Amino acid sequence: MKLKEQKSREFLELICIVCPLGCSLSVTKSDDRIRVRGGCKKGEKYVKEEITNPRRVVTTTLRIKNGVWPRVPVRTSSPFPRDKIPELMKFLSSLEVEAPQKRGEVIAKNLLGEGVDLVVTRTIERKE
Amino acid sequence: MPRSIRGDVVVIGGGPAGMAAALSSWEAGAKSVFLLERNEYLGGILPQCIHPGFGLQIWGEELTGPEYAEIFIENLNRTGVEAMTDTAALELTPERIVKAVNPQGAWEIKANSIILSMGCRERTRGMLQIPGYRPAGIFTAGLAQYLVNIAGYLPGKDIVILGSGDIGLIMARRLTLEGARVKMVVEIKNSLSGLVRNYVQCIQDFNIPLLFSHTVTEVRGKERVEAVVISEVDEEGNPLSGGEREVECDTLLLSVGLIPENELSRQAKIPLSPQTGGPWVDEDFSTDLEGFFACGNVASVFDLVDYVTLVAERAGRAAVLARPPQEKHILRAGEGVHTVIPQRIREGKDGFLFIRPQKSMKGVTVSFWEREKIFYQKKISICRPSEMIKLDLAQIPWPQEKGEIKVEIKGTEIQGIS
Amino acid sequence: MNEEFDVIIIGGGVVGCAIAWYLAHFDLQILLLEKELDVCSGVSKANTGIIHSRSYWTPHTLKGELHLRSLSWIEQAEKELDIEFLKTGALTMAFSRDDLEFLQTLKERGKIEGAQILAPREAHTLEPMISDKIFAAYYDPETRVASPFELNIALAESAFLNGVHFILGQEVVGFEEEKSIVGVLTENGKYLSRWVVNCAGLSSSYLAQKSGDNIPSLRPLRGEYLVLDRECRGLVHHVLYPVPVGETKGILVSPTTDGNILVGPNLEPAEDEDTSTTKEGLKEVEEGGKKLIPSLPVSQTIATFSGLRPTLPDRDFHIFFSSRFPSLLHLVGIESPGLTASFGIAEYVGDLLHKRGLKLRERSDFVIRSSFPVFRKLPWEERERLIQEDDNWGKIVCRCEEVTVAEVKHALLSSPGASTLDGLKRRVRVMMGRCQGGFCGMRLPFLMAETLGLEERRIVKSGRNSFYLGEETKEVRSGASLY
């Protein structure tokens, strides 16, 4: 798995995902200044975040022991730093939880020290 | 003998449409509601859609599929709706008798109203007639999604995805996160089938190549897929000779469209629309056959589960009210329109109209024609085939006299992503 | 296995299984060896399934002789195997005055009561959807349709029930002289038998060459097919043949025993065991079908496949004893009408072995097979009764073909049972309907692993290496640089 590299470049082309318009945005970056052409105000805010600190809600599954299903789906409690998602996936591969698990419960805290928790998204009963 | 029961409302299919319909029938005062689901759990496809993006339209909160489903399951548990899981409806008559089986026995259920919410199925390789061998390793995207998210297996290691629909894009990310290598996504059209947001977060984030105007023209490998041949296509989607190349992979995922499941509707002789593949319905999602309602993807493939919930709630209420038949406007898809749903307008006072455009366009005008004149126009900035245009029926000044109405979309075509 | 068999049969196709079934009527120790993991995995799995009537036999050939001989077995086979061939009848469609002569020939060859040459209007009364360009049509009331899988598997099951041993997944690689008997060498060992019958389909000429016999290599001729959704049932009621150009029966349109419509086959040379389909081939099949039924709904295609005819240059069956191993009988070039002729071939093989000294003492304890119920075809009262007996009858695993867990488990646990997903498909029609496994593909591999006590990842589609599942999830071992 390889996430898109986000090196400090002078020019960037991004697609805005704030609304369904999907505007193409040209971004110029020099020192700390970020200039955005194309799109709207909301788009500009999106781009600045996307360049300085891109984050994504991560959804995946964990192994679950003695459950009616072998996997329990989970999500991060808030968006997680995008560039650390591969490391997060590796960490989550090492986890195994025990059934039952209830939707909404926090299953792991402060993932990789990023202050984001992991939440169960489907109740998995214990296998009889 | 099969056990015979009677119900006020019988809902066939316990996915998002069926759950919302059953719930709203109950809340509207139905004395008995049976919800038949062939799977061992309610929720339909939602429990395997572990990604976020559900619920924004109706709750203003972004949920994952399993969460969205579980809220409905919990709500249903608080009502008297009888949810029969592991129950397969096999026969349906115009007299509103459903025959079904489950591990308890064979059932014959007579209902005052029947709500069809059987959902849809995925288009297959056989339908596309992709030539080559028939090895293991060819999966529809939804089947692969079940295997990964619920059963805990990857479909393979090196993957080519045909079709840029949302399930395909989402599976590209999901498979990558689980350590598979998605070699490319191939789209026969010259524009994205799924949402731009999914392109950015599922494809761009992982540097997965996406090829427009290409398709898979051959499957290689006798036992397990060893490679696929991809070819460039012309505007009609016909492969151009000379542009073929082989891509090594062990898995081909197909995300090439959905088909409403209407085998039971056909048995009951409910008139079906050739455009949507589902029954013709009005704003109450009442079909042309009295006492039958159809909501969700069985009527027309929707892009948001939120919309499915909205229309199913209307169907659930209408099934209890059981209004008598009356004359209705008939909506036809005109230029630029792939499908409209509903295709019948009873009064047009409340409810929604969903219009799926044929192409991605900017500077769009939606026009409503009564005979030779336009009686309503709506301007919108952009439209895409992946996103239905949702209008409030009450906004539209429907003509007094019931008759045929044509809906048309015009604008400037967009290619590629944006 | 150290024991010595009376007869070893190489190949579990319809011919091998028919021979096993026929010989099982006699007091013999029989072993059937099949290189694939299941019977009905080669030539027999992909053909039209038509039981051609006597109108369509080829005079002055061995295949013609055995074709006719086979037809007299049909009723006994139906009874003993508990299967039913669908007596659809057939129309052979002539498009010009010149074709009329051929229709006359069919009529004279068949001498079938009720057979007649019809004017276009009469033909349209029988089959309203056929082309209005026809000049005349020959109506044959005796043509039947079989499910090639059902017949092949029923023969195998009946043979097993009557004591035939089956070893699947073991390829024969050669023969060895062992005094007066033959040693059959496989990948993993040697089996001894007084008599050996090589009916290995596409591999039969290769095996004959291995035993030192002089026979040309088989030339596989491929035929491609389209299968249309059951929603199209009622479109045609009879088998529709064109008047052939050349040596095969041409591209036909036929109802199947399960209510689908089958279109094909075309004819094209193929590499050994190349069962792929091609764009051109499928197009040719479509056009051939549309010649007979102009409104053929090809958009309702649910599957495409191709099959191979193992042909010799003279296009006849060659059944002969090996020159080096006097008790080794080769069957080479068993192509169309191999399915129709299979009972006749079996009886003929029995006669040949008997003439050379095989003792055929008829058994008094031959067991009649009874086929397992098919849920989709049962009345509701019977469904209710079965569910009360075993609740697996109330669990539908395949929505399109309405197949229950009870039927799947039976297909897995019967003998010779399914050990592959395709084997299940051929026995109970799972994954064969309009969704082509989109739904039941979620359940079957797991149900199969659980029922057979196998690891889930070992489940295969058909061949040994056709694994259905990949690795388990949650095996992400390194973070950033997996590729």
Side-chain angles (χ1 to χ4, degrees):
Chain A
M1 164 177 33
K2 192 165 65 180
L3 281 162
K4 189 176 169 138
E5 287 171 31
Q6 204 87 105
K7 289 187 188 131
S8 64
R9 265 179 279 177
E10 287 271 307
F11 300 100
L12 269 172
E13 287 285 335
L14 280 183
I15 300 167
C16 182
I17 59 170
V18 173
C19 80
L21 281 173
C23 296
S24 290
L25 307 178
S26 308
V27 185
T28 320
K29 205 177 146 191
S30 49
D31 304 324
D32 309 342
R33 280 177 56 88
I34 293 168
R35 281 226 316 270
V36 184
R37 270 185 304 152
C40 61
K41 268 264 181 304
K42 278 186 187 169
E44 197 176 319
K45 183 164 171 269
Y46 161 76
V47 168
K48 286 182 176 166
E49 277 175 17
E50 187 69 7
I51 287 178
T52 54
N53 181 18
R55 285 174 171 262
R56 301 283 184 263
V57 169
V58 179
T59 57
T60 182
T61 58
L62 294 182
R63 288 179 189 274
I64 181 166
K65 230 191 261 176
N66 301 315
V68 290
W69 298 103
R71 297 289 183 274
V72 56
V74 290
R75 65 182 294 176
T76 54
S77 56
S78 56
F80 188 82
R82 192 188 63 176
D83 299 341
K84 290 181 85 173
I85 292 174
E87 201 185 327
L88 175 66
M89 288 304 293
K90 185 185 162 193
F91 168 66
L92 296 181
S93 273
S94 68
L95 288 188
E96 183 167 37
V97 296
E98 177 88 25
Q101 288 291 334
K102 185 108 187 65
R103 173 176 59 92
E105 271 170 22
V106 171
I107 216 165
K109 284 206 145 154
N110 194 16
L111 297 165
L112 306 184
E114 291 290 336
V116 174
D117 300 338
L118 197 66
V119 182
V120 173
T121 58
R122 183 187 186 189
T123 300
I124 301 284
E125 302 293 350
R126 202 177 166 83
K127 193 161 55 183
E128 285 146 26
Chain B
M1 281 301 285
R3 48 211 70 204
S4 220
I5 48 177
R6 285 191 72 95
D8 207 359
V9 178
V10 171
V11 184
I12 306 177
M19 294 194 300
L23 205 54
S24 77
S25 281
W26 182 262
E27 283 164 358
K31 286 174 205 71
S32 60
V33 180
F34 292 95
L35 174 58
L36 313 185
E37 166 55 42
R38 47 191 163 190
N39 232 326
E40 57 243 82
Y41 50 79
L42 290 178
I45 207 80
L46 285 172
Q48 71 186 57
C49 298
I50 65 168
H51 55 278
F54 304 95
L56 264 176
Q57 302 274 331
I58 57 172
W59 293 319
E61 185 189 356
E62 213 178 348
L63 301 174
T64 63
E67 291 169 310
Y68 193 99
E70 219 166 290
I71 290 169
F72 274 91
I73 294 169
E74 285 168 3
N75 290 341
L76 279 167
N77 286 342
R78 285 192 277 269
T79 67
V81 171
E82 177 125 9
M84 299 168 74
T85 51
D86 259 326
T87 303
L90 301 177
E91 281 179 34
L92 184 62
T93 72
E95 296 75 35
R96 298 189 299 280
I97 294 170
V98 188
K99 287 189 180 179
V101 291
N102 66 16
Q104 284 75 53
W107 302 79
E108 193 179 287
I109 313 171
K110 169 93 176 111
N112 296 329
S113 294
I114 288 193
I115 302 178
L116 305 171
S117 50
M118 291 89 78
C120 54
R121 65 170 178 270
E122 299 179 274
R123 270 159 60 85
T124 66
R125 179 208 178 168
M127 304 182 72
L128 302 179
Q129 295 189 26
I130 305 172
Y133 282 99
R134 305 217 294 165
I138 305 170
F139 299 88
T140 54
L143 168 55
Q145 190 179 46
Y146 174 92
L147 293 176
V148 174
N149 292 341
I150 294 193
Y153 282 98
L154 290 171
K157 193 102 197 108
D158 293 293
I159 294 157
V160 170
I161 299 177
L162 176 59
S164 65
D166 286 313
I167 315 174
L169 301 181
I170 279 161
M171 282 313 290
R173 170 175 65 189
R174 185 73 192 108
L175 289 163
T176 309
L177 287 176
E178 287 294 347
R181 183 210 299 246
V182 178
K183 302 192 88 168
M184 61 174 64
V185 177
V186 181
E187 168 60 56
I188 193 165
K189 291 187 299 193
N190 62 10
S191 64
L192 193 69
S193 294
L195 303 172
V196 174
R197 170 197 160 102
N198 284 333
Y199 168 76
V200 171
Q201 298 200 343
C202 302
I203 301 299
Q204 229 183 23
D205 267 5
F206 301 95
N207 280 328
I208 297 168
L210 169 61
L211 269 74
F212 289 113
S213 300
H214 277 73
T215 193
V216 172
T217 50
E218 191 187 333
V219 175
R220 292 185 177 161
K222 284 187 187 175
E223 299 219 3
R224 176 83 198 189
V225 174
E226 287 166 16
V228 295
V229 176
I230 61 164
S231 305
E232 200 176 343
V233 298
D234 64 18
E235 278 172 21
E236 271 83 55
N238 301 309
L240 300 166
S241 61
E244 300 91 359
R245 72 180 158 115
E246 188 182 82
V247 182
E248 275 182 42
C249 59
D250 62 11
T251 304
L252 173 63
L253 287 201
L254 302 174
S255 174
V256 289
L258 303 168
I259 301 166
E261 284 232 288
N262 278 285
E263 283 66 35
L264 289 175
S265 321
R266 269 187 281 268
Q267 280 187 22
K269 303 192 165 53
I270 297 168
L272 301 183
S273 148
Q275 275 82 36
T276 58
W280 273 298
V281 288
D282 66 14
E283 68 258 47
D284 286 346
F285 289 81
S286 169
T287 70
D288 285 354
L289 187 64
E290 205 184 338
F292 284 90
F293 299 79
C295 57
N297 286 354
V298 78
S300 182
V301 176
F302 286 81
D303 38 53
L304 292 179
V305 72
D306 299 60
Y307 292 167
V308 166
T309 300
L310 285 177
V311 305
E313 284 172 346
R314 292 188 65 83
R317 279 194 296 274
V320 179
L321 283 175
R323 289 197 280 174
Q326 68 169 77
E327 213 185 337
K328 300 170 189 177
H329 289 297
I330 293 174
L331 263 54
R332 302 240 183 259
E335 194 186 323
V337 176
H338 185 264
T339 45
V340 289
I341 183 116
Q343 308 94 334
R344 307 274 188 263
I345 303 294
R346 183 185 280 268
E347 278 150 4
K349 285 194 196 132
D350 55 4
F352 316 98
L353 182 64
F354 298 92
I355 307 168
R356 190 177 294 285
Q358 271 169 347
K359 290 180 176 151
S360 296
M361 288 182 275
K362 277 185 175 164
V364 181
T365 308
V366 186
S367 307
F368 288 74
W369 294 74
E370 186 199 19
R371 293 199 199 95
E372 300 305 308
K373 73 172 204 286
I374 295 175
F375 66 88
Y376 179 67
Q377 275 193 323
K378 168 107 184 167
K379 292 205 186 305
I380 43 177
S381 47
I382 193 163
C383 72
R384 296 171 198 278
S386 55
E387 294 166 46
M388 287 171 146
I389 301 164
K390 175 175 164 251
L391 301 178
D392 280 328
L393 290 183
Q395 284 176 4
I396 303 166
W398 299 100
Q400 279 294 316
E401 202 181 316
K402 296 284 159 65
E404 210 174 293
I405 287 162
K406 191 174 74 184
V407 186
E408 190 181 84
I409 301 179
K410 282 188 174 161
T412 321
E413 200 180 330
I414 316 169
Q415 297 193 350
I417 306 299
S418 65
Chain C
M1 230 176 255
N2 282 328
E3 59 186 307
E4 188 185 305
F5 292 95
D6 295 312
V7 184
I8 286 180
I9 298 162
I10 305 167
V14 70
V15 172
C17 290
I19 295 169
W21 167 76
Y22 174 77
L23 292 178
H25 287 76
F26 306 99
D27 199 5
L28 296 168
Q29 281 293 311
I30 305 164
L31 169 67
L32 187 145
L33 292 169
E34 165 57 50
K35 75 170 172 166
E36 301 296 335
L37 298 174
D38 198 358
V39 297
C40 194
S41 291
V43 174
S44 300
K45 75 166 190 274
N47 55 68
T48 59
I50 291 168
I51 308 287
H52 303 285
S53 84
R54 50 183 302 130
S55 302
Y56 302 92
W57 78 292
T58 319
H60 320 298
T61 59
L62 180 59
K63 70 177 176 187
E65 187 189 318
L66 299 182
H67 177 170
L68 289 187
R69 201 162 166 175
S70 209
L71 293 176
S72 61
W73 275 88
I74 289 208
E75 274 158 35
Q76 185 178 341
E78 284 184 323
K79 214 177 293 164
E80 278 190 16
L81 300 172
D82 193 20
I83 59 176
E84 202 178 336
F85 302 123
L86 203 64
K87 199 166 170 183
T88 58
L91 284 183
T92 302
M93 293 162 57
F95 287 87
S96 73
R97 183 175 293 275
D98 298 345
D99 291 343
L100 206 54
E101 198 182 325
F102 180 77
L103 302 191
Q104 286 293 354
T105 314
L106 293 180
K107 188 165 177 240
E108 278 153 31
R109 258 182 215 163
K111 294 191 183 61
I112 291 169
E113 202 186 314
Q116 53 182 314
I117 292 171
L118 304 177
R121 223 181 38 204
E122 298 168 302
H124 276 108
T125 315
L126 279 182
E127 283 292 355
M129 304 305 281
I130 55 174
S131 168
D132 49 19
K133 295 206 178 91
I134 62 161
F135 184 78
Y138 168 65
Y139 169 67
D140 172 289
E142 289 286 326
T143 301
R144 292 168 168 86
V145 176
S147 154
F149 317 129
E150 185 190 31
L151 173 59
N152 198 151
I153 288 160
L155 287 165
E157 286 178 4
S158 173
F160 181 89
L161 207 59
N162 288 289
V164 174
H165 300 264
F166 283 79
I167 296 180
L168 305 173
Q170 199 146 157
E171 184 167 1
V172 172
V173 295
F175 307 93
E176 231 175 48
E177 263 168 289
E178 295 270 346
K179 296 181 200 116
S180 64
I181 59 173
V182 186
V184 178
L185 302 172
T186 70
E187 303 155 286
N188 311 347
K190 182 159 82 174
Y191 300 89
L192 303 178
S193 181
R194 289 183 182 280
W195 302 92
V196 178
V197 181
N198 160 25
C199 44
L202 283 164
S203 309
S204 57
S205 65
Y206 165 79
L207 285 180
Q209 288 161 0
K210 276 270 171 193
S211 70
D213 293 290
N214 190 13
I215 181 94
S217 294
L218 287 167
R219 186 173 55 126
L221 289 177
R222 186 169 58 192
E224 301 186 31
Y225 298 84
L226 302 175
V227 185
L228 307 187
D229 195 317
R230 258 216 324 261
E231 294 277 321
C232 308
R233 69 177 163 259
L235 181 78
V236 291
H237 307 277
H238 304 78
V239 174
L240 304 181
Y241 297 99
V243 167
V245 231
E247 292 167 62
T248 58
K249 295 188 178 63
I251 293 167
L252 47 87
V253 178
S254 167
T256 72
T257 51
D258 291 291
N260 301 87
I261 303 280
L262 187 68
V263 190
N266 66 338
L267 178 78
E268 60 204 0
E271 294 294 310
D272 205 18
E273 305 201 9
D274 180 354
T275 54
S276 59
T277 53
T278 62
K279 192 181 155 213
E280 299 73 27
L282 294 173
K283 189 86 203 142
E284 191 187 342
V285 169
E286 179 180 332
E287 279 161 13
K290 282 187 168 164
K291 195 177 168 211
L292 306 181
I293 303 272
S295 63
L296 194 74
V298 277
S299 62
Q300 294 269 28
T301 301
I302 58 166
T304 60
F305 65 91
S306 81
L308 297 168
R309 310 168 181 87
T311 67
L312 285 171
D314 68 358
R315 302 297 305 265
D316 202 0
F317 297 174
H318 286 249
I319 300 180
F320 58 96
F321 282 102
S322 163
S323 51
R324 229 181 94 206
F325 301 88
S327 60
L328 167 59
L329 185 68
H330 295 302
L331 282 68
V332 185
I334 313 296
E335 50 151 324
S336 176
L339 183 95
T340 305
S342 54
F343 309 116
I345 296 171
E347 190 188 23
Y348 180 68
V349 164
D351 288 354
L352 290 178
L353 298 180
H354 178 64
K355 276 184 203 148
R356 280 223 173 175
L358 173 69
K359 287 202 182 69
L360 295 181
R361 222 164 357 105
E362 203 156 337
R363 291 167 46 169
S364 53
D365 57 348
F366 187 85
V367 184
I368 303 292
R369 170 185 183 265
S370 54
S371 62
F372 199 66
V374 176
F375 177 86
R376 183 164 65 81
K377 297 182 177 169
L378 295 177
W380 283 89
E381 291 71 22
E382 186 60 9
R383 291 175 175 182
E384 167 70 17
R385 194 187 66 74
L386 285 172
I387 296 168
Q388 296 318 316
E389 232 168 60
D390 174 2
D391 67 4
N392 283 325
W393 283 104
K395 297 177 189 163
I396 302 278
V397 64
C398 161
R399 314 168 165 192
C400 307
E401 298 294 316
E402 298 175 5
V403 184
T404 63
V405 170
E407 291 160 275
V408 170
K409 287 198 164 184
H410 178 264
L412 292 168
L413 298 171
S414 61
S415 294
S419 61
T420 65
L421 290 167
D422 277 356
L424 263 186
K425 172 166 99 178
R426 287 175 201 133
R427 281 170 180 78
V428 292
R429 293 189 56 76
V430 288
M431 299 187 292
M432 209 184 250
R434 59 182 67 92
C435 89
Q436 291 283 296
F439 290 114
C440 56
M442 299 177 182
R443 302 275 178 278
L444 288 172
F446 306 104
L447 181 57
M448 191 161 170
E450 192 195 323
T451 309
L452 296 177
L454 292 172
E455 265 179 69
E456 290 166 352
R457 280 209 61 197
R458 308 310 300 171
I459 298 300
V460 293
K461 180 177 183 284
S462 55
R464 283 167 226 221
N465 297 308
S466 61
F467 297 107
Y468 181 80
L469 296 169
E471 279 185 36
E472 281 194 41
T473 61
K474 314 317 319 163
E475 294 289 340
V476 182
R477 289 174 205 94
S478 61
S481 57
L482 259 178
Y483 345 139

